[in-house]
Amino acid sequence: MVETDVPEFKEYAIEEFLVRSEPYYRSVGDEENLFTAAYHQHIPVLLKGPTGCGKTRFVEYMAWKLGRPLTVIRDEQSPQGAPRQEMREGEVRVPLVTIACHEDLTASDLVGRYLLDAEGTRWIDGPMTRAVKNGAILYLDEVVEARKDTTVLIHPLTDHRRILPVEKTGSIIEADDRFLLCISYNPGYQSALKDLKHSTRQRFISIEFNYPPREIEAEIVERESGCTAEDADSLAKLGEKIRNLQEHGLQEGASTRLLIYAGRLISEGIPARRACQVAIVWTLTDEPELQRSIEEVVSSIFE
Amino acid sequence: MSTAPLPEIETELSKLPSAVLEAYQEASGAISTAFGEEELALWAREGIAIGTQTVRSWESAVEYYRVGPQVARFLSFPSFMQWARCGTYLAQDSPTLAVAFFKASATIVPNLRPQYIPRWAGLGRSLYKGTWKSSTLAAKFFEVSPDLVRNLPFWDVEVFASLIEAMSYKSYDVAGECLVLGRDVLPAMGREREAFLSMSRALIDNSWREVKTCLELVPRALQQVDDSQTGRFLKLGERLAKTGLRDTSRFLADGTQALGRVPQGSQGYILDLSETLLAASPDSVPHFLRSLNDVLGRITINQLDTWFRHGLELLKENPESGIAFFKVESNTSVSMLDTLSSSLELDRVKGIIKLYCSALSGSSIEVLDTQELVRKNIGWIDEDSASTDGTKVFLPPVVDHYPSKQDNFAWFKVVSTHQVGHLEFGSFDYDFQKPSGLFDDRRLQLEEEVLARRSAPMLADPQEMEPGPGQSLTDIGRFLNLFENRRLAFDIFTVLEDCRLDFRINVEYPGIRRAAKRVQDEALSNRPNITEMALQEALVELLIHMSLEQFTDLPVPVEYEEVAVVLARVLHQLRTAAATVEDTAEATLRAYEIITRVPNETQTEDQWEPEDLEEPGDFSEEEYEDLLERLQANMDASAEGGEGDPYDSPDPVDYRGDFKPEMVQLLTMLQSDQGMDGEGEPISKEMLEQMLQESAELELDAEQGDITNSMSMFAQNLMKEAGTPPPNSEPGQGYGPLLHDDDQGGELEAREPKTYAYDEWDFRAGDYKPRWCIVKEKNVEEGDLTFYNDSLRNYMALSNHIKRQFELIMPESFRKIYRLIDGEDIDLNAAIEAWADLRMQVPPDDKIYWHRNRARRDVAVVFLLDMSASTAEAIDEGRQVVDDRDAPDDPVEYMVWLRRRREGLVRRNYKRIIDLEKESTSLLIQALESIGDTYGIYGFSGYGRENVEFYVIKDIAEGFGDKIKRRIDKITPLHATRMGAAIRHAITKLENQDATTKILFLISDGRPQDRGYSREGVEKEYAVHDTHMALLEAKRQDIVPFCLTVDKAGHDYLKSMCGDMGYEVLGDIWALPERLPMLYRKLTI
C-alpha cells in the first residue's frame, strides 16, 4: 500500500486495491448467489450486458462482499482520508484488479515484461500476473476489444489448471486459491466483427445483465443520484421508453448510468428537461429526428 | 496579270472624285486573282453604277471598291454581283446607307449565307424612311449586324430588325438604343431569345418604351430562372403584354426575382399557377408574382396550392377582392396565410411521432394518415379523427387548430399520446374473465342472467332475437353482448375508457398536461348543451363533460339528481392510476344499468339545476343497488308512458378519435389465428360478417341492402389486412397438378449446364431437405452504358467522398511488423530481451527491429442483390406496400398477377428500390476498383424451388469493364426471393477464393419469400430459418455474412434470420448509396 501526501487521491499498488466501503449494488435476480458460487468453485465468470447496466459495479460489489469478514459487524468507517488497507480480523483479501481492454492490449501488457534498469534488466509483473499471485478478482472489462492473442492467454487460467505460463521468465504461476477471472462483454446487437471465440466463451459461466425493471431502476437512480423519488421514478420511466426505441435506429438504450447522471443534474437544480437533454438525448444519438423524438418523450414525462 | 484592260472604265471613274479611282485601282489588283476578266469588268462597271446614282453616291462607290477584294473571297461571282446590286439599290436611296452596307459587308459575309444577303440588305433598307434620322438608324443597323449575324440565327435577326422597325415609328432614338442593346444582349440568350423577341414584339403597341428597359433587364433577370422555364416565363410576359400589361419590365424584374427564390424545381409549378391565373385575370398575375416571395416566406410550396386556389375562387367571384387577395392586402388572404403557416402537416413530423409512439408503447408503431385507414375499408370511415388499429396510429393529415406550429404539434402529441395510451394502458387487452380491481365483478353473473333471459321462450319475436354472448368472437364483443342497447353500452364504455386513459396519461406524462388541458377545454367548449337533450343522452353527455374534467357547474336534472351523483361516483372511481380496462367495463355496466332506467325524455329548462360533482363521495355498491331498485320501480310505475325517444349517440370528442376496441381485438385475433398453424377453428368470413353487423362500432349511413354488401366487403378486407387468405383460395381448391413440386416431390436433379442443386433447411424437421432447390446461373443481359455513367455523375460529390474514404483505407493497412533483422527502428521489447539473454549468457535473437510494412489487403467479397418483384416498389410513394403474400398460388395465376403488377410500373418516372440498389452498386464498384479487392456482384430471384435464378452481374473472377457497366443497366425486378439457395450458391463462389477475409454481403428489401417458401403462418418462419441456416453455412466457411436491408420492418425477422451475424436495417432508403460503401469499408478494415 502506498499512501501519498496529497489527500486528493489515493494510490494503491494494483493488486492491493481492496474495495473497502460497500459499493451500492441493487441485485435484481440471483446474480449474487451465482457469482459467489462460481467464486467458491473457481469457475470464471462472463458478464454480458449493455453498457451502463451495472456490470462493473457488480464486480466491485462482489469483491467487497467476498472479502467482507463474515463474522465482523459493519465497519465503523475509518476517519476520512487515509484508506484503511490493513487487514481487519476475519477479513479475506479479495483485491480487485480491473483492466480495461483495448485494441492494442498485448499479452505482455498483461503478463509482464523486462525493463531496463541500472544493473541491466528487471522483470516486472504485469497486472494479470499480480492478480494471479495475489489471489485477486481479475476483471477484464470489454474483453472483445482486446487483441485476439490476449484472449488465448487466459485459456490456461480458466480451466482446471488455473495456471499462468510466463513464457519470458520461463515460469508457470499457479493461481492463488482466491483468484477469479471475470470478464465483461457487451454483445451489442450489431457487432459484426467483434465476437468472442467459442473456445474462449466456453470457459465461463455467463451471467446476463440487463437494465433493471422500472421500479428497481427508480430505486437505484434515487439512491445514486440523490434526486427526489418522483424524479427518479420519471427517469426510470423515461429509460424504459427510450429503450423501446432500440429497434428503431437507436444503437443502445439509455443506460442506468445516464439516468443517474440526469438525476444528479436535477438534484443540482438543473431543470429536468434540460438535464435529460444533455445527459440523455444528446449523449445517445446525433440523429436529429431521433433526438427530437426522444425530446418529445422527455417533455411528455417531465413538466 | 494586267490591271488595265478597261481603260474606258478608268475614264468613267475619273469623272467622279479622285478617291473613287484610287480605291478602284487599289482594289483591282487584289481582286483580279479572284475574278476573270469579264467578271472584273462587271465588277468595275457596277462601281460606276453605284457612283453615279446620286450626287454623293461616289462615297459608296469608294467603299464598294475598297471591300470588294475581301468580299470576293467568300462569294462566288453571281452572289458577289447580287451583293453589289444590293449596294446599288441602297445607294439609290441613300449613299450613307450604302456606305454602311459595304462597310459591314467585309465582316458579315463570312458569317452570312449568300442567299441571305439581299434579305439582309432589305432589312436595313426597311428601316430607312427617307429622313435623316432613319438613315442613321439604318446605317447603325448595318453597323451592328455583323455581330448579330455572327451570334444569332438569321431569322432572329430578321425578327429583331422588324422589332426595331416597329419601334422606329415611335422613336428613332429609342430604336437606335435598342439596336445597340440588342447587339449586346441577344447573343447571350439561348432558346429563350425567340420568346423574348415575341414578347417584345407584343409590347410595341401599348408600351414600346418598355422594350428598352426589358432589354436592359433581361440578361440579369433571366439568370434567376431555370433554363427550362425561361421560355415559359417570357411567353407569359408576352401574353400579359398582349392583354395590355403596361409595366412589363417590372413584371420581368419582379417575376424573375420571385421565381429565383422559390424552392428548386418548383418554378414550373409557379408558372403553372401563373398561367392558370392569367386565364382568369391577367391583372392579378404580376401581383401574385410580386407577393410570392412574402407568401413563400410564410408557407411552404405545398401549402401554396390551398392559398392560391382560394384566391382564384375569389377572383372569379369578384376580381377586385381577388386581386387584393393576391396582393396580400385582404384580410382573407392574411388570415389564410396565418392559418396555413401555422398548420402542421403530418408528413413533416411523421417520423418523430412514429418514434415517439413506439417509445411510449414499446412496440413498433406505424404512423399513418387517417385517409389510409379509410382507404383500407375495414370499418373505419371518418377521415378526420385519429385512431389506432393496434399496431398503427392514424392521425389526420394536417392540423391547423392553433395559430402556431408548436401548438399544432402539441395537438398531434396529445392526440397520439391518447391513441398510444390505448395500447400502453391496455384498452385492447380487455379480458372478459379478468376481475376488476375497483368494482365487484358482475359481468359473469350478468352474462348468466342474460343468457337465461334470452333462451327463455317468452322472447318470441325473432326480430329481436340477439345472438347469445357465447357466440361473440372477441372479449369486448362478449362484454357488449350483455346489453340490450349495444350502442348505448358502447358509448358509455368509450367515454369511461377515454376518461380512464386521460386521467392515466395525466399522471404518467405530466409534461403534456398543459397541452392536454387546452385540448380538453376546447373539446368542452364544443360540446352541445346538455339541457336541450333527452335524458339518457344528457346523462351520457354529462359523463363526457366529466371525462373532460368539467366537474363544476354541471346542469343536472332535478328529478334525477341522485342518478347524476352516482354516475359521477362511478366515473370518479376510474380516476386512479390503478384502474384497468376491466374496471372500465364494470363501471360501464353500472352506468348502463342506471341510464337505461331513466326515460329518454327531454326536460324543460327549469328542470335543470347546476351542480358541482367534483367530490361526489365514494361509490358504494349498496347505494347503487338501492338506486337501481328505485329507478326500476319508477319505470314500472310509468310503464304506460312509453320509453321516450330512441337513444341517439352523442357527438364524438374530436381529439379522442375513433375508438374501436372490438375491431382491434378482432384484427389481432385474425392475425394470431393464422400463426397458429390452422389449429382451432379458424374464423370464417360468415362469422366475421355477423360480428360486424352486430358491432356498435360501425356506423353506416347506407341503406340496409348495402350494409350486407359492405359488411361482406369489410370482412374480406379485414381478413386481408390480417393476412388470412381470402376464403376463395382455401387450400385444396384451385391447385393445379404443379403443386406437388412444393411440398411433395423429392430431390431435384441439376441436369442442364450451369445449374446446381442445393439442400434446403427445414426447421420443422430439424434437417435438410436434400437437393431441394435448383439454382440456375445466368448472365444479366447487357444494356446501356448510360445508367452507370449517370449514376456516377449524379452522385459526383458522394462518389468522390467514398473514393477518398476508400483510399484512406490504404494507410490504415500499414502495420508495424516487429522482430525483424532490419528495419526502421529498434524494437524495444526485442532489444531488451536480447540484452537480457546476453546477460544471461543465452544466445540472443538478432531480430530486434521493427518495420512499417504495407499489409496486403486481402479481401474477397460477394454482393448479392435482391432482384425480387418488390424492389419495383416506388420509394416514398405513400407507402403503398406491395404485399407478396397476396400472390396467387397457382403458378399460372401467379405469372398473370406478376405481369400485371409489373406492367403497372412500366410507365414510371419515380425511383424504385432497385434503382437505388443499382446506383449504389455503381458507386461501390468504383470504390472497389480503387482499392483492388476481389469482388463479385450477383443478383437473385426466381420462382419456386426448381427455378432459383442466380444472375451474374460481375463474376468474381471477371475483370471490370464496359460489359459490367452495361449489365448493371439491365438489373430489373423479377420474381420472388428464395434467399437460402442463392446464398448457398454465392458461398461456392467465395469458397474457392484464396483470401484472408471473405465477405458475403446481402442487400435485400424484405423478408425472403417464394412459392412454398414463405407463405402465411409457419412458412414465413421456414424461409427465415432456411436463410439463417444458409448464413450459418457461410460463417462455417470462414465467410463473414452481412445483411443490409431497406425494409423498415426488417428488425422483426432479421434478428432471427441473422442471429449474431451482422446486419443493418436502413431506415432511410435514400441513404443506401452512401451507406453501402461505408458499411463495406467498416466491415473490411
Side-chain angles (χ1 to χ4, degrees):
Chain A
M1 182 201 85
V2 179
E3 207 184 300
T4 57
D5 298 334
V6 194
E8 276 81 12
F9 66 90
K10 302 159 190 166
E11 190 175 328
Y12 307 104
I14 193 164
E15 68 275 23
E16 292 185 357
F17 174 72
L18 299 179
V19 183
R20 257 307 157 60
S21 53
E22 176 178 1
Y24 172 72
Y25 181 79
R26 169 68 161 86
S27 81
V28 177
D30 58 349
E31 67 267 25
E32 273 179 54
N33 291 342
L34 286 175
F35 195 95
T36 315
Y39 180 79
H40 293 312
Q41 285 298 320
H42 294 160
I43 308 172
V45 179
L46 163 64
L47 306 179
K48 280 207 248 183
T51 178
C53 68
K55 299 187 294 288
T56 306
R57 178 63 67 89
F58 174 66
V59 176
E60 275 180 20
Y61 173 75
M62 289 314 294
W64 169 83
K65 195 176 175 211
L66 293 167
R68 192 176 53 171
L70 293 170
T71 51
V72 168
I73 331 96
R74 276 184 66 83
D75 80 317
E76 63 294 349
Q77 278 303 317
S78 58
Q80 63 103 260
R84 287 178 35 182
Q85 290 291 320
E86 66 277 7
M87 297 302 296
R88 262 171 273 139
E89 222 182 282
E91 197 177 46
V92 192
R93 278 184 68 98
V94 184
L96 176 62
V97 176
T98 305
I99 298 166
C101 298
H102 54 84
E103 279 162 10
D104 284 334
L105 189 79
T106 62
S108 62
D109 287 335
L110 288 173
V111 173
R113 53 162 55 90
Y114 281 105
L115 285 185
L116 286 177
D117 164 307
E119 284 99 56
T121 56
R122 187 160 60 92
W123 173 260
I124 296 287
D125 279 343
M128 184 183 265
T129 316
R130 296 201 208 180
V132 169
K133 286 180 177 170
N134 287 281
I137 292 180
L138 176 63
Y139 178 52
L140 300 179
D141 204 357
E142 299 296 345
V143 77
V144 271
E145 294 292 334
R147 274 166 50 156
K148 296 271 183 258
D149 60 327
T150 57
T151 51
V152 177
L153 234 187
I154 60 186
H155 285 187
L157 263 182
T158 47
D159 52 26
H160 64 280
R161 293 171 285 173
R162 287 171 60 86
I163 52 166
L164 178 66
V166 186
E167 212 183 322
K168 286 182 187 160
T169 58
S171 55
I172 284 176
I173 304 166
E174 226 175 277
D176 181 277
D177 201 41
R178 292 159 303 163
F179 172 79
L180 184 78
L181 183 64
C182 179
I183 62 178
S184 81
Y185 160 60
N186 178 357
Y189 70 114
Q190 221 165 251
S191 64
L193 294 169
K194 288 188 167 158
D195 201 358
L196 273 185
K197 283 197 291 186
H198 262 272
S199 56
T200 310
R201 230 170 214 262
Q202 296 198 5
R203 287 159 190 277
F204 295 85
I205 61 158
S206 305
I207 303 181
E208 284 211 2
F209 279 71
N210 217 327
Y211 301 118
R214 197 207 274 193
E215 296 73 31
I216 298 184
E217 190 160 37
E219 189 187 318
I220 295 170
V221 172
E222 186 186 350
R223 165 71 167 66
E224 286 285 273
S225 69
C227 65
T228 63
E230 198 185 326
D231 282 336
D233 194 48
S234 297
L235 281 169
K237 193 192 299 168
L238 178 65
E240 185 186 82
K241 301 295 176 205
I242 292 176
R243 283 164 209 152
N244 284 338
L245 285 178
Q246 224 155 317
E247 296 200 341
H248 302 277
L250 201 60
Q251 298 245 321
E252 291 249 342
S255 62
T256 310
R257 179 166 43 218
L258 277 188
L259 299 180
I260 292 170
Y261 286 173
R264 286 189 184 167
L265 292 181
I266 293 173
S267 62
E268 283 292 321
I270 308 274
R273 285 188 180 181
R274 180 75 179 147
C276 290
Q277 188 178 43
V278 296
I280 300 171
V281 182
W282 291 352
T283 313
L284 280 179
T285 175
D286 298 324
E287 204 191 307
E289 190 172 76
L290 208 50
Q291 280 188 349
R292 175 80 197 276
S293 308
I294 303 175
E295 270 170 24
E296 292 306 334
V297 179
V298 170
S299 69
S300 280
I301 293 178
F302 291 96
E303 268 178 277
Chain B
M1 206 194 271
S2 157
T3 52
L6 304 158
E8 68 271 32
I9 287 177
E10 293 201 6
T11 351
E12 291 265 343
L13 285 175
S14 57
K15 291 181 192 156
L16 295 169
S18 60
V20 182
L21 187 61
E22 278 163 31
Y24 166 71
Q25 280 165 345
E26 208 174 295
S28 62
I31 208 164
S32 58
T33 52
F35 297 148
E37 260 177 54
E38 247 171 81
E39 292 164 351
L40 270 179
L42 285 172
W43 166 67
R45 278 218 178 84
E46 197 60 36
I48 298 170
I50 294 168
T52 52
Q53 291 289 333
T54 62
V55 195
R56 288 174 48 91
S57 65
W58 61 271
E59 290 167 10
S60 326
V62 170
E63 211 51 53
Y64 167 71
Y65 284 128
R66 192 173 292 156
V67 300
Q70 289 171 54
V71 174
R73 266 192 286 155
F74 297 98
L75 297 178
S76 65
F77 189 72
S79 311
F80 183 86
M81 282 316 289
Q82 203 179 23
W83 165 76
R85 208 75 21 94
C86 291
T88 319
Y89 291 135
L90 287 175
Q92 228 167 24
D93 292 333
S94 153
T96 338
L97 229 56
V99 170
F101 172 74
F102 288 130
K103 266 194 181 148
S105 295
T107 39
I108 206 169
V109 171
N111 298 311
L112 191 65
R113 289 216 244 141
Q115 61 263 41
Y116 287 148
I117 292 175
R119 284 163 74 178
W120 170 56
L123 291 178
R125 170 66 187 77
S126 62
L127 291 174
Y128 177 66
K129 306 285 186 256
T131 60
W132 170 74
K133 274 194 167 174
S134 69
S135 77
T136 321
L137 181 68
K140 199 176 252 163
F141 171 75
F142 284 124
E143 204 176 293
V144 301
S145 45
D147 284 334
L148 287 175
V149 165
R150 192 180 317 127
N151 297 310
L152 312 184
F154 189 71
W155 47 91
D156 279 357
V157 179
E158 285 183 314
V159 175
F160 182 56
S162 75
L163 179 71
I164 297 295
E165 193 201 336
M167 284 189 67
S168 69
Y169 291 115
K170 312 283 184 187
S171 154
Y172 284 110
D173 292 339
V174 176
E177 284 165 32
C178 288
L179 194 57
V180 178
L181 272 171
R183 177 191 62 189
D184 300 336
V185 168
L186 292 176
M189 288 196 223
R191 272 181 304 175
E192 69 271 22
R193 192 189 303 118
E194 204 183 318
F196 176 74
L197 287 174
S198 59
M199 181 188 89
S200 309
R201 191 66 231 234
L203 287 174
I204 296 290
D205 294 334
N206 292 318
S207 43
W208 53 274
R209 280 180 197 281
E210 287 291 311
V211 176
K212 185 186 161 202
T213 341
C214 287
L215 269 171
E216 283 166 347
L217 279 171
V218 82
R220 241 181 346 150
L222 287 185
Q223 277 175 9
Q224 316 233 31
V225 184
D226 284 348
D227 286 348
S228 53
Q229 303 298 344
T230 45
R232 277 182 74 193
F233 176 71
L234 292 168
K235 190 92 196 150
L236 188 70
E238 182 190 340
R239 287 166 65 188
L240 278 174
K242 279 184 182 153
T243 59
L245 176 77
R246 295 201 162 267
D247 45 359
T248 302
S249 58
R250 177 109 187 263
F251 165 78
L252 198 67
D254 292 348
T256 50
Q257 204 178 22
L259 283 178
R261 292 198 198 154
V262 302
Q264 203 149 29
S266 47
Q267 291 188 352
Y269 170 64
I270 298 296
L271 287 175
D272 286 343
L273 294 184
S274 307
E275 278 162 17
T276 319
L277 207 52
L278 182 76
S281 151
D283 293 345
S284 56
V285 178
H287 298 302
F288 166 63
L289 284 176
R290 214 167 298 146
S291 43
L292 190 64
N293 272 333
D294 288 340
V295 171
L296 283 183
R298 305 183 54 184
I299 62 177
T300 66
I301 191 101
N302 298 334
Q303 294 169 326
L304 187 65
D305 193 58
T306 322
W307 178 77
F308 179 82
R309 253 164 233 298
H310 195 84
L312 201 61
E313 288 302 315
L314 269 183
L315 206 57
K316 282 175 188 158
E317 285 164 23
N318 175 358
E320 288 296 309
S321 68
I323 287 176
F325 182 91
F326 282 110
K327 277 181 174 167
V328 199
E329 279 171 4
S330 76
N331 268 344
T332 336
S333 184
V334 173
S335 67
M336 182 131 189
L337 282 179
D338 282 345
T339 318
L340 282 175
S341 64
S342 60
S343 79
L344 192 60
E345 289 152 57
L346 177 62
D347 272 344
R348 296 170 93 179
V349 293
K350 211 184 217 173
I352 294 166
I353 293 186
K354 174 185 150 56
L355 289 174
Y356 173 78
C357 293
S358 301
L360 256 48
S361 72
S363 56
S364 186
I365 301 284
E366 286 272 358
V367 170
L368 296 171
D369 210 286
T370 35
Q371 285 162 7
E372 289 196 43
L373 184 61
V374 175
R375 217 176 290 141
K376 279 187 180 161
N377 201 6
I378 51 174
W380 275 265
I381 45 165
D382 192 348
E383 284 202 13
D384 294 325
S385 10
S387 190
T388 175
D389 75 349
T391 54
K392 307 179 190 80
V393 167
F394 297 90
L395 297 172
V398 180
V399 181
D400 48 13
H401 296 315
Y402 303 105
S404 91
K405 270 204 156 50
Q406 271 160 330
D407 290 344
N408 280 323
F409 182 77
W411 188 90
F412 262 140
K413 219 173 134 178
V414 170
V415 170
S416 46
T417 310
H418 185 88
Q419 292 304 327
V420 173
H422 283 306
L423 301 172
E424 195 183 357
F425 305 119
S427 295
F428 305 128
D429 299 338
Y430 175 74
D431 184 344
F432 194 88
Q433 309 276 1
K434 209 165 142 195
S436 151
L438 300 170
F439 294 95
D440 294 346
D441 281 300
R442 285 168 185 259
R443 281 165 291 169
L444 284 171
Q445 190 198 336
L446 185 66
E447 185 172 22
E448 271 167 35
E449 284 171 26
V450 170
L451 274 178
R453 194 167 358 120
R454 284 189 190 153
S455 55
M458 50 183 262
L459 226 144
D461 192 352
Q463 289 290 301
E464 280 180 42
M465 264 299 273
E466 283 183 45
Q471 278 168 269
S472 179
L473 293 173
T474 59
D475 280 46
I476 296 263
R478 185 172 162 196
F479 170 67
L480 292 176
N481 271 349
L482 299 180
F483 307 103
E484 231 165 284
N485 189 343
R486 259 184 93 113
R487 179 90 251 160
L488 174 63
F490 179 68
D491 288 339
I492 297 172
F493 181 71
T494 307
V495 176
L496 292 178
E497 178 65 5
D498 281 334
C499 171
R500 177 182 80 91
L501 281 188
D502 278 353
F503 183 81
R504 184 75 188 272
I505 288 169
N506 221 1
V507 172
E508 297 279 339
Y509 302 108
I512 56 168
R513 242 178 240 169
R514 207 158 0 121
K517 178 83 184 119
R518 182 162 62 175
V519 173
Q520 277 179 344
D521 288 349
E522 226 154 76
L524 256 182
S525 68
N526 290 331
R527 298 309 304 174
N529 192 351
I530 295 183
T531 53
E532 288 163 12
M533 303 169 102
L535 267 180
Q536 289 190 348
E537 287 150 33
L539 288 173
V540 174
E541 187 61 40
L542 193 70
L543 284 176
I544 294 181
H545 272 80
M546 287 192 281
S547 80
L548 290 169
E549 313 264 318
Q550 187 195 348
F551 294 108
T552 51
D553 212 13
L554 285 166
V556 165
V558 183
E559 196 183 338
Y560 296 100
E561 193 198 325
E562 207 192 338
V563 168
V565 172
V566 175
L567 282 179
R569 284 180 189 162
V570 169
L571 180 124
H572 268 279
Q573 199 79 349
L574 291 174
R575 290 168 57 81
T576 149
T580 62
V581 65
E582 285 77 19
D583 296 325
T584 311
E586 286 295 333
T588 305
L589 195 150
R590 284 160 179 75
Y592 175 88
E593 296 290 353
I594 296 174
I595 293 179
T596 44
R597 283 173 173 77
V598 172
N600 197 24
E601 290 159 350
T602 22
Q603 304 279 89
T604 51
E605 192 93 16
D606 56 324
Q607 284 172 299
W608 298 90
E609 204 156 81
E611 182 124 6
D612 287 356
L613 293 170
E614 205 154 15
E615 281 164 353
D618 287 337
F619 174 80
S620 102
E621 301 279 353
E622 292 76 37
E623 272 173 326
Y624 159 72
E625 300 269 355
D626 196 40
L627 176 69
L628 270 194
E629 262 169 45
R630 266 181 293 140
L631 286 172
Q632 186 66 44
N634 237 340
M635 252 182 58
D636 294 343
S638 61
E640 69 279 5
E643 287 173 355
D645 310 324
Y647 166 77
D648 210 4
S649 285
D651 295 341
V653 180
D654 280 346
Y655 79 96
R656 288 171 175 168
D658 261 1
F659 177 49
K660 297 196 186 299
E662 200 173 353
M663 290 296 220
V664 175
Q665 282 202 335
L666 184 71
L667 263 178
T668 325
M669 227 162 81
L670 281 173
Q671 270 152 0
S672 64
D673 196 55
Q674 51 147 323
M676 281 181 2
D677 196 16
E679 274 176 44
E681 196 190 338
I683 300 167
S684 73
K685 198 180 157 199
E686 289 67 36
M687 286 163 76
L688 256 185
E689 277 180 45
Q690 194 196 353
M691 189 228 102
L692 289 172
Q693 283 194 23
E694 288 163 22
S695 172
E697 292 169 17
L698 288 173
E699 273 179 277
L700 289 165
D701 306 328
E703 288 165 30
Q704 199 60 36
D706 278 354
I707 290 184
T708 336
N709 271 340
S710 13
M711 285 307 163
S712 152
M713 195 166 61
F714 283 160
Q716 184 120 14
N717 290 341
L718 257 177
M719 294 183 105
K720 204 161 82 188
E721 178 67 17
T724 347
N728 57 5
S729 68
E730 272 166 44
Q733 286 178 9
Y735 280 83
L738 268 168
L739 179 75
H740 72 270
D741 272 343
D742 276 313
D743 275 339
Q744 297 119 42
E747 300 179 17
L748 294 168
E749 208 52 62
R751 292 195 193 86
E752 295 158 47
K754 286 220 158 193
T755 56
Y756 309 85
Y758 290 98
D759 301 349
E760 192 166 280
W761 178 255
D762 183 354
F763 79 103
R764 289 166 295 198
D767 198 0
Y768 285 99
K769 289 180 176 168
R771 308 178 66 78
W772 197 251
C773 300
I774 294 288
V775 172
K776 298 184 177 164
E777 192 175 314
K778 309 174 179 176
N779 276 354
V780 177
E781 280 175 58
E782 286 174 29
D784 206 25
L785 269 179
T786 41
F787 182 88
Y788 179 85
N789 294 335
D790 283 352
S791 10
L792 286 194
R793 202 172 319 118
N794 292 343
Y795 288 92
M796 184 76 86
L798 178 61
S799 137
N800 286 339
H801 175 68
I802 292 171
K803 225 171 147 184
R804 209 167 37 244
Q805 290 290 320
F806 269 67
E807 278 157 7
L808 280 178
I809 299 180
M810 304 313 280
E812 279 168 25
S813 61
F814 280 105
R815 293 252 182 275
K816 262 186 181 179
I817 299 195
Y818 298 94
R819 293 174 194 271
L820 297 172
I821 297 176
D822 194 12
E824 284 173 44
D825 202 352
I826 289 183
D827 173 358
L828 200 59
N829 280 342
I832 291 169
E833 265 171 40
W835 185 249
D837 286 347
L838 263 179
R839 282 294 185 89
M840 285 157 62
Q841 316 237 312
V842 175
D845 193 343
D846 54 357
K847 295 175 180 165
I848 56 161
Y849 290 93
W850 60 263
H851 177 63
R852 242 180 242 278
N853 206 353
R854 203 178 128 162
R856 212 167 62 81
R857 207 179 140 81
D858 197 10
V859 180
V861 59
V862 158
F863 289 91
L864 261 185
L865 299 185
D866 183 347
M867 284 164 66
S868 64
S870 49
T871 54
E873 207 172 287
I875 300 164
D876 254 352
E877 273 259 302
R879 273 205 62 86
Q880 281 172 352
V881 183
V882 185
D883 202 315
D884 279 41
R885 281 177 300 184
D886 57 32
D889 259 303
D890 183 82
V892 182
E893 275 178 39
Y894 180 88
M895 285 303 165
V896 174
W897 169 81
L898 201 67
R899 198 173 323 124
R900 205 179 320 126
R901 211 171 75 177
R902 261 193 289 163
E903 272 165 9
L905 297 160
V906 172
R907 297 177 305 274
R908 68 193 169 81
N909 47 7
Y910 47 83
K911 258 193 192 168
R912 304 165 301 171
I913 295 176
I914 193 116
D915 294 326
L916 273 185
E917 280 187 12
K918 286 159 73 176
E919 283 171 355
S920 316
T921 315
S922 309
L923 287 180
L924 192 73
I925 286 184
Q926 206 211 12
L928 285 168
E929 284 296 322
S930 74
I931 50 168
D933 288 353
T934 315
Y935 67 99
I937 300 176
Y938 306 92
F940 66 98
S941 184
Y943 173 64
R945 67 182 179 104
E946 64 290 320
N947 196 12
V948 179
E949 292 152 351
F950 192 85
Y951 290 94
V952 178
I953 297 152
K954 178 191 171 297
D955 205 25
I956 198 155
E958 214 171 338
F960 177 66
D962 282 358
K963 211 190 237 178
I964 314 290
K965 296 183 191 171
R966 286 179 201 281
R967 280 186 199 154
I968 291 177
D969 184 41
K970 280 288 174 183
I971 304 176
T972 37
L974 294 162
H975 318 116
T977 38
R978 207 177 191 99
M979 272 184 201
I983 292 171
R984 290 189 179 95
H985 190 62
I987 294 173
T988 61
K989 297 278 178 193
L990 274 171
E991 239 169 17
N992 307 322
Q993 288 299 315
D994 184 27
T996 32
T997 314
K998 296 182 197 175
I999 294 171
L1000 176 67
F1001 207 116
L1002 183 67
I1003 303 161
S1004 78
D1005 76 323
R1007 33 169 92 244
Q1009 35 196 208
D1010 190 12
R1011 177 168 56 84
Y1013 193 55
S1014 64
R1015 299 194 53 79
E1016 312 75 28
V1018 278
E1019 299 254 28
K1020 212 147 77 180
E1021 300 305 306
Y1022 180 88
V1024 168
H1025 276 95
D1026 178 51
T1027 310
H1028 176 65
M1029 192 46 83
L1031 289 171
L1032 273 183
E1033 287 161 31
K1035 214 175 166 188
R1036 263 181 243 139
Q1037 301 271 5
D1038 267 335
I1039 296 167
V1040 181
F1042 192 90
C1043 301
L1044 179 65
T1045 184
V1046 296
D1047 181 9
K1048 283 186 187 166
H1051 285 294
D1052 298 348
Y1053 56 91
L1054 269 178
K1055 211 164 192 168
S1056 48
M1057 198 168 93
C1058 296
D1060 56 348
M1061 288 165 277
Y1063 69 86
E1064 179 162 312
V1065 175
L1066 211 54
D1068 174 15
I1069 177 159
W1070 293 103
L1072 183 66
E1074 184 177 355
R1075 190 66 189 144
L1076 179 59
M1078 291 309 163
L1079 262 176
Y1080 175 70
R1081 175 169 170 262
K1082 235 164 111 186
L1083 269 174
T1084 54
I1085 291 176

